[in-house]
Amino acid sequence: MLAAIEVVKRYAGPAGQVTALAGASLTIEAGELVIVRGPSGSGKTTLLLACGGLLAPDAGRVLVDGQDLYRMTPNERAAFRARTIGVIFQQYHLVPYLTVRENIMAAALAVPDARAGDRARELAARFGLGDREGHVPAALSTGERQRAALARAFLNRPRILLADEPTGNLDAGNAETVLSALGEFARGGGAVLLVTHDPRAAPYGARTVAMEAGSIGTPA
Amino acid sequence: MRILGLVLREIRFRRLSFALGVLSVAVAVGCLAAELAHLGRYGAARQAQIDAKIDATEAAMRRLEDDYRVITKRMGFNVQIFPRGQSLAELHAAGHGTVFMPEERAETLARSRAVSVQHILPVLQQKTAWPERERTVILIGTRAEIPRGEGAAKQPVLDPVPAGAAVLGWCLHRDFGIARGDRIAFRGREFTVAACHEERGTADDISLWVNLAEAQEMLGLPGKISAILALSCQCEGAAIEGIRAEIAAILPDTQVIEYAFQAEARREARTRAARARSDAVGGEESFAEESRRTWEEFAAALVPVVAAACFVWIGVLALLNVRERRSEIGILRALGLHARDILAIFLARAGLVGAAGALLGYAGGIAALRAASPDGVPFFSAGIFAAAMLGAPALAMVVSWLPALMAARQDPAAVLREE
């Protein structure tokens, strides 16, 4: 379903060019949750952003259902991403002036859907935010914020979920909720790329790959 | 939730930033609206003063012109109409007409539509003896001026001499010691002296005026006159050629002579009065124009400076807003919003800042002016209000365009990776 093929990405740094991805390749099939581990600076987040159509690689290809993301125009890619890919970040990236429900519905800005409101309510209830729907992020706990971000990622019924350290700031209970949701998504036929150091994620992953210096290594 | 909903929620969240933007636009619009309204009112008031002054000047000049007209009218008739057969050589040698025409000629002229002459007076004039005093005099028979049309009666140039009365020239009453009210005998008739003229230095000094009918009887010329005296207005187009042509059409058996001195004096006086009026009014109008231009130049210099300062500030606020919302822009792009959506978010916000500022500023500017001018005269101008409501949002969007473009072009990956 998702294939990163020989992806290369370099950044211009103060000390010259830095290679974040050095020909990384990774394939995730439908129903599979793949955990990517690796030290800081190994290129995990860069790989995730490249797979999400958010960061064009210098070389290599990213295919979703056989379609090369970076052969699309920026607008086509944005629309495709909105319909197909959900993203979750360690810092939640909730819009500070929107309530929980509105933040969940923000995903529908790019994919207008008359039933988005109902779905947002369902997702809020599913992730234990039913009584927090009218609160803004500043009034939420870290766990609630991440659950709101998770609900937002689910709103458009994506087929791929990309999660970057989603449990990094969470307690055991909230981490369990997030990881369970990702696992359930995969079991439902979705593909999940989970970048994490969290050992609590291991039971949910079909496989784990290690990243080192921009390359995918042998399974840890 | 749509883009506009997102914009409105952001405005509610960052009230201070929005309020600062609105305030900035309000200051600009308020200053401009107040300035323009004030200028408009000042201009109108100034124009009213100038109009009043022009009216007063015109009235004064009209009075002056009228005075000139009256003064020159007192100089006497300036046109004489004689029978065509009257030899001018004989006329000047004798000092009076020697050929006569029916008195009805004067009536015919008065009833006509002639416009070049007024104050029509038939006269019979003859040099004759005053046997009772052994003196030769010029006998002048006159009647009342013949009224023309149905207009208001004009003050006559020459007062009529009633029947049984006589008016004496200076030499006559001086030489014979005659005074007003005395009874005199003239060619066997008794007359009461109605007036004694002052010295004029002309043939009038040896003239004796009586009623026309009595003169006709005494001279044996019943129903006859020697001339018709008239006053030409000496207006534009009333040159002697025009007068002659007009009178020839009405009285073809006559000829017209103009008293050059009186006519020229009257013409010159009226021309100068008209010119003085034109100059005075023109001077006021030039002053009004100059005054208006000065104010417009002042406004033209002030308005762009105020507008530029305020809208640069709007641009700065928009830039700060973009920087503050980097993370939000990143996640909205990650959620699939296009760059154009991001552009729309920031431009819509700028438009709302402009519209709210324009509304507030216009209302504030007008209220401030109203408070400062308790005369109750309205300051509201639909044109200026519409211009503010359209112009301020448009300008706010223009100055926010660059920051909005920066936001739209922001690399979402860069933001998300940094976080």
Side-chain angles (χ1 to χ4, degrees):
Chain A
M1 180 176 275
L2 173 66
I5 303 165
E6 298 291 329
V7 176
V8 175
K9 183 66 187 177
R10 299 183 189 91
Y11 297 116
Q17 275 208 333
V18 176
T19 300
L21 293 177
S25 295
L26 178 69
T27 302
I28 307 174
E29 298 300 338
E32 194 177 23
L33 188 155
V34 174
I35 298 169
V36 179
R37 292 183 190 281
S40 292
S42 60
K44 303 186 298 296
T45 297
T46 300
L47 177 66
L48 182 137
L49 292 172
C51 289
L54 290 161
L55 186 64
D58 296 323
R61 293 185 298 156
V62 176
L63 306 178
V64 175
D65 287 336
Q67 294 186 74
D68 189 336
L69 284 184
Y70 294 100
R71 289 209 167 184
M72 299 176 183
T73 65
N75 285 344
E76 287 170 346
R77 192 161 56 246
F80 183 83
R81 184 169 59 240
R83 289 193 308 270
T84 314
I85 302 171
V87 286
I88 308 160
F89 298 94
Q90 183 176 1
Q91 297 302 330
Y92 335 117
H93 289 298
L94 295 172
V95 180
Y97 50 83
L98 298 182
T99 63
V100 166
R101 184 156 179 266
E102 290 166 344
N103 259 294
I104 296 170
M105 287 179 65
L109 281 171
V111 188
D113 181 353
R115 291 163 302 175
D118 294 337
R119 273 191 58 72
R121 186 168 287 117
E122 287 169 18
L123 287 165
R126 175 180 166 190
F127 292 111
L129 297 167
D131 58 343
R132 309 290 274 168
E133 277 188 36
H135 291 73
V136 294
L140 302 176
S141 68
T142 53
E144 288 169 331
R145 289 177 197 174
Q146 192 57 292
R147 280 184 272 144
L150 189 64
R152 182 178 65 193
F154 276 93
L155 186 82
N156 291 337
R157 302 179 191 279
R159 287 183 289 125
I160 297 169
L161 273 180
L162 307 175
D164 189 6
E165 299 284 6
T167 58
N169 296 328
L170 302 184
D171 59 28
N174 281 304
E176 176 66 25
T177 303
V178 171
L179 293 171
S180 297
L182 295 179
E184 192 176 324
F185 177 77
R187 286 195 296 280
V192 180
L193 171 60
L194 174 60
V195 172
T196 185
H197 290 109
D198 193 343
R200 292 173 293 191
Y204 299 93
R207 64 193 164 100
T208 301
V209 296
M211 281 203 75
E212 182 72 42
S215 296
I216 306 283
T218 52
Chain B
M1 187 173 58
R2 302 269 170 90
I3 295 287
L4 185 60
L6 199 71
V7 172
L8 293 175
R9 284 165 177 78
E10 191 274 336
I11 287 171
R12 200 168 56 196
F13 181 69
R14 295 191 178 91
R15 292 185 198 91
L16 181 61
S17 165
F18 182 76
L20 284 174
V22 169
L23 187 65
S24 183
V25 176
V27 167
V29 171
C31 283
L32 299 186
E35 180 67 25
L36 290 174
H38 180 64
L39 272 179
R41 269 175 56 92
Y42 175 83
R46 183 84 188 112
Q47 191 60 49
Q49 286 175 347
I50 288 165
D51 287 347
K53 201 165 178 185
I54 287 173
D55 288 347
T57 304
E58 279 200 334
M61 287 297 135
R62 269 196 298 273
R63 281 197 300 277
L64 177 64
E65 210 173 358
D66 206 41
D67 289 347
Y68 271 132
R69 189 180 58 74
V70 170
I71 290 165
T72 54
K73 182 178 146 190
R74 287 183 190 144
M75 292 169 71
F77 296 98
N78 53 22
V79 169
Q80 277 190 313
I81 302 165
F82 292 100
R84 179 173 291 281
Q86 175 66 57
S87 156
L88 296 182
E90 276 187 29
L91 173 72
H92 294 306
H96 55 80
T98 54
V99 178
F100 306 98
M101 59 184 164
E103 188 180 343
E104 290 76 32
R105 292 284 185 281
E107 303 281 352
T108 303
L109 180 60
R111 282 196 305 271
S112 73
R113 293 186 175 182
V115 295
S116 58
V117 291
Q118 302 293 334
H119 298 278
I120 293 163
L121 181 70
V123 295
L124 176 61
Q125 194 171 0
Q126 194 79 46
K127 192 180 286 179
T128 187
W130 185 1
E132 288 85 352
R133 301 280 180 169
E134 296 181 342
R135 177 69 68 89
T136 298
V137 299
I138 296 174
L139 176 65
I140 303 173
T142 70
R143 50 172 280 190
E145 287 177 15
I146 304 174
R148 300 211 55 205
E150 296 177 352
K154 297 191 175 196
Q155 184 70 26
V157 176
L158 200 65
D159 288 328
V161 183
V167 175
L168 299 182
W170 182 69
C171 288
L172 300 181
H173 68 77
R174 183 200 60 177
D175 292 351
F176 301 122
I178 300 170
R180 187 168 178 266
D182 289 353
R183 299 281 293 172
I184 59 168
F186 182 77
R187 294 175 72 100
R189 291 183 181 225
E190 286 285 320
F191 293 92
T192 302
V193 177
C196 294
H197 285 318
E198 292 294 311
E199 184 179 14
R200 290 179 176 173
T202 65
D204 282 358
D205 290 345
I206 58 162
S207 296
L208 189 152
W209 288 264
V210 297
N211 183 266
L212 176 61
E214 289 176 316
Q216 288 168 335
E217 284 173 20
M218 285 190 286
L219 296 173
L221 293 167
K224 298 289 185 184
I225 57 172
S226 55
I228 302 168
L229 304 184
L231 186 68
S232 164
C233 64
Q234 299 305 333
C235 311
E236 193 177 348
I240 186 63
E241 292 78 15
I243 298 169
R244 280 176 176 150
E246 188 177 50
I247 291 176
I250 301 160
L251 303 174
D253 56 346
T254 60
Q255 58 182 318
V256 177
I257 294 175
E258 185 183 41
Y259 288 158
F261 179 74
Q262 284 97 323
E264 185 57 35
R266 185 170 170 83
R267 184 181 297 121
E268 181 72 9
R270 297 197 72 163
T271 303
R272 288 200 179 187
R275 192 182 303 143
R277 177 159 72 101
S278 171
D279 289 349
V281 171
E284 288 300 332
E285 286 171 345
S286 315
F287 176 71
E289 182 59 30
E290 180 65 25
S291 178
R292 185 163 50 243
R293 196 164 39 244
T294 303
W295 273 104
E296 281 172 0
E297 284 170 3
F298 173 67
L302 180 69
V303 165
V305 170
V306 173
C310 291
F311 282 96
V312 163
W313 177 235
I314 298 287
V316 170
L317 288 174
L319 189 62
L320 292 174
N321 188 251
V322 168
R323 288 177 63 85
E324 192 179 2
R325 298 169 68 182
R326 272 172 58 83
S327 168
E328 178 191 331
I329 296 164
I331 194 61
L332 290 174
R333 293 297 307 277
L335 290 174
L337 261 68
H338 296 181
R340 63 169 180 264
D341 296 326
I342 304 298
L343 194 67
I345 287 170
F346 283 91
L347 290 183
R349 184 184 196 278
L352 288 172
V353 165
L359 194 62
L360 200 65
Y362 190 84
I366 296 304
L369 265 187
R370 196 184 294 270
S373 309
D375 58 5
V377 178
F379 288 90
F380 179 80
S381 157
I384 296 175
F385 178 69
M389 289 308 295
L390 293 174
L395 265 176
M397 288 166 83
V398 166
V399 298
S400 300
W401 183 266
L402 194 61
L405 204 60
M406 288 167 60
R409 289 184 174 176
Q410 193 169 286
D411 180 4
V415 178
L416 298 172
R417 208 174 58 240
E418 283 169 15
E419 303 276 340

